[in-house]
Amino acid sequence: MTDVQSPRPGGGSTLDRFFGVHAAGSSVSTELRAGLTTFLTMSYILFVNPQVLSTAINVPNAFVQLLMTTAIAAAFGSIVMGVVAKYPYAQAPGMGLNAFFAFTVVQGLGVPWQTALGAVFVSGVLFVLLSVLGARQAIVQAIPTSLKFAITGGIGAFLAFLGLRSAGLVVSNPATLLGLGSLTAPTVWLALLGLLIAAVLMKRRVTGAILWSILATTALAILTRIPVYAGGPNGALQPFPGFDGRFLGIIDAPIWPSALVGQLDIVGALGLGLLSVVFTFFFVDFFDATGTLTGLSQRAGFLDEKGEMPRARRLFAMDGLAAMFGAYMGTSTTTAYVESASGIGEGGRTGLTAVTVGVLFLLSMFLWPLASAIPGAATAPALILVGALMMEGVKNVDWDDISEGLPAFLTVLTMPLTFSIANGVSIGVISYCAIKLLSGEARRVSPILYGVAALLLVRYVWLMGE
């Protein structure tokens, strides 16, 4: 498999020729719409990431500076993914990894946030090195087809769970861990209405069904002033406060995050006592991002008959480069976003989709208060619907063979229940190798996969020791 895409001769616009839009069976308008859809489904990170990291990073005007850093890191990661790797995958500071950064490393272990940023940077360097050497794509190629379909389905289940939680349909329950939310809550019925609109429009083959659903439910929330926006007293939801006759009040000039940029401490991160932190950042993001990129590629139809991705080295290297740049700018690990599936669902197939997302993140630095006009209840239906669509590939798993079916099932189930794509991939790989080895089919498994399974076991044993 070559790592370079052959140029397509012929006419077309500059964007068409550079990204190979028509060669991918798409159009410029479709790519732009897909990028907007992806941005809308992941724009929550502009507000959530600063909320998480500001608990650990103490600088003047921390929230606004972290918001700017988040936007810049997401823009850079998405643009290099689109321009260099030419895939429609957006990148931004990852959820889960930011919580590990803030609550476990900085607050729990007492590591200075500058040193923690250094650890993120070092893990990004390792990503790039392994990508250039071909190690990451070799691991992807060693994953059996059944697990690749299961990873896609697991990501779908994870997306749907995120959507259900954002909508308030699924809530925590002290007796059963999870339970059904209040069906009378505004977030719930607004999300259900949005899901119905998206499903009907998609069934009727309306172009941009997911995007129209997001815009329609957002307009309804603003016009009816139902309480679906965060920011009320004591954490309560409130009506959208922006359109009260002061439209210019929701436009603000960006500020440069000077207190964060270049503050990482690489030398401190390389100290012997922090190597375990570097390893954890590296390990979790490796399998999180690898699982995400593999699942998205399978969903978009990029994998060939051997399960290989074109331009794989560039794809994985851009993931590592984004992590390095994000750490320099002052945020936790930047990685590929599973919400990119919403843009793929809208027909995004080239790097133009990712570049569109990046440009929108740059614009959000000027118009960032406008992003708050999209409530979580409006983007939740997109996550649920795309999650359902991503379950399609699970039908290709050989469920009659327990050595194929059980690891696939564990992969799908573990991702949403542990809130981790990395855990789902890990449990799937370990169980697959163990069953094949003990049932006399050891030679059907790649030696590389056995090595990966061994490393995963070592990690879990180490976590138990901790």
Side-chain angles (χ1 to χ4, degrees):
M1 173 62 64
T2 180
D3 200 32
V4 179
Q5 183 182 28
S6 300
R8 172 180 174 261
S13 66
T14 301
L15 289 176
D16 188 346
R17 291 194 301 271
F18 182 82
F19 291 104
V21 175
H22 281 89
S26 184
S27 66
V28 172
S29 61
T30 297
E31 298 295 308
L32 296 177
R33 185 178 66 247
L36 176 59
T37 301
T38 297
F39 172 77
L40 290 177
T41 58
M42 64 184 290
S43 61
Y44 67 87
I45 196 62
L46 287 169
F47 303 96
V48 177
N49 194 54
Q51 288 173 352
V52 174
L53 294 184
S54 61
T55 63
I57 298 179
N58 184 19
V59 296
N61 204 11
F63 185 90
V64 176
Q65 291 211 49
L66 284 166
L67 188 148
M68 295 299 163
T69 286
T70 300
I72 294 171
F76 177 86
S78 299
I79 289 173
V80 296
M81 178 65 77
V83 172
V84 180
K86 298 188 177 180
Y87 276 96
Y89 308 147
Q91 301 195 86
M95 290 296 296
L97 289 164
N98 56 5
F100 174 75
F101 179 101
F103 303 124
T104 301
V105 177
V106 178
Q107 294 186 11
L109 299 178
V111 176
W113 61 267
Q114 298 91 336
T115 307
L117 288 175
V120 173
F121 184 89
V122 173
S123 69
V125 173
L126 294 176
F127 283 138
V128 174
L129 289 176
L130 288 178
S131 301
V132 172
L133 295 174
R136 288 184 75 176
Q137 50 267 43
I139 293 174
V140 172
Q141 292 168 14
I143 298 176
T145 302
S146 61
L147 281 185
K148 287 178 180 175
F149 282 118
I151 289 171
T152 306
I155 292 174
F158 184 62
L159 271 177
F161 179 72
L162 290 176
L164 291 170
R165 192 184 68 156
S166 178
L169 274 165
V170 173
V171 297
S172 60
N173 186 301
T176 61
L177 297 182
L178 296 175
L180 181 67
S182 172
L183 297 181
T184 61
T187 55
V188 172
W189 65 258
L190 183 66
L192 289 176
L193 177 62
L195 183 61
L196 179 63
I197 292 173
V200 171
L201 292 178
M202 185 168 288
K203 177 64 177 178
R204 291 180 172 272
R205 301 185 182 278
V206 174
T207 302
I210 296 176
L211 178 58
W212 286 119
S213 169
I214 293 174
L215 296 178
T217 49
T218 297
L220 181 63
I222 292 174
L223 293 175
T224 59
R225 294 190 60 79
I226 59 175
V228 293
Y229 295 92
N234 299 320
L237 295 176
Q238 63 177 355
F240 180 63
F243 300 122
D244 57 358
R246 296 178 297 160
F247 182 77
L248 293 179
I250 61 175
I251 299 176
D252 204 353
I255 65 170
W256 182 248
S258 56
L260 300 172
V261 177
Q263 297 301 311
L264 69 171
D265 180 9
I266 299 175
V267 175
L270 293 174
L272 183 62
L274 287 183
L275 288 181
S276 61
V277 175
V278 174
F279 174 76
T280 301
F281 272 124
F282 169 79
F283 188 89
V284 173
D285 189 40
F286 181 94
F287 282 97
D288 199 331
T290 301
T292 298
L293 292 171
T294 301
L296 291 173
S297 296
Q298 193 279 325
R299 172 62 187 164
F302 294 145
L303 301 183
D304 62 16
E305 64 278 359
K306 296 181 181 179
E308 298 179 5
M309 289 178 280
R311 308 180 305 283
R313 295 183 188 226
R314 279 190 258 166
L315 170 64
F316 290 123
M318 291 308 101
D319 177 57
L321 183 62
M324 293 170 59
F325 180 82
Y328 177 79
M329 292 302 302
T331 185
S332 55
T333 307
T334 301
T335 187
Y337 253 59
V338 69
E339 282 85 351
S340 301
S342 61
I344 292 173
E346 282 294 325
R349 290 296 182 273
T350 75
L352 182 55
T353 293
V355 171
T356 301
V357 176
V359 171
L360 290 172
F361 269 112
L362 288 178
L363 292 176
S364 70
M365 296 175 63
F366 296 88
L367 304 173
W368 62 265
L370 285 176
S372 63
I374 309 294
T379 57
L383 299 177
I384 297 170
L385 184 58
V386 171
L389 296 175
M390 293 186 74
M391 292 296 292
E392 176 188 11
V394 176
K395 67 183 180 184
N396 297 308
V397 175
D398 185 3
W399 295 106
D400 293 328
D401 184 347
I402 193 65
S403 67
E404 300 282 338
L406 181 59
F409 175 75
L410 292 175
T411 298
V412 173
L413 196 64
T414 301
M415 286 189 192
L417 292 185
T418 65
F419 213 73
S420 169
I421 294 173
N423 281 339
V425 175
S426 300
I427 297 302
V429 169
I430 292 173
S431 60
Y432 184 88
C433 290
I435 295 173
K436 290 291 187 182
L437 178 64
L438 298 175
S439 59
E441 297 184 354
R443 293 185 178 181
R444 293 192 176 186
V445 181
S446 167
I448 296 176
L449 199 64
Y450 280 124
V452 171
L455 290 175
L456 291 169
L457 281 173
V458 169
R459 173 180 178 265
Y460 282 115
V461 170
W462 174 70
L463 288 177
M464 286 189 291
E466 290 291 315

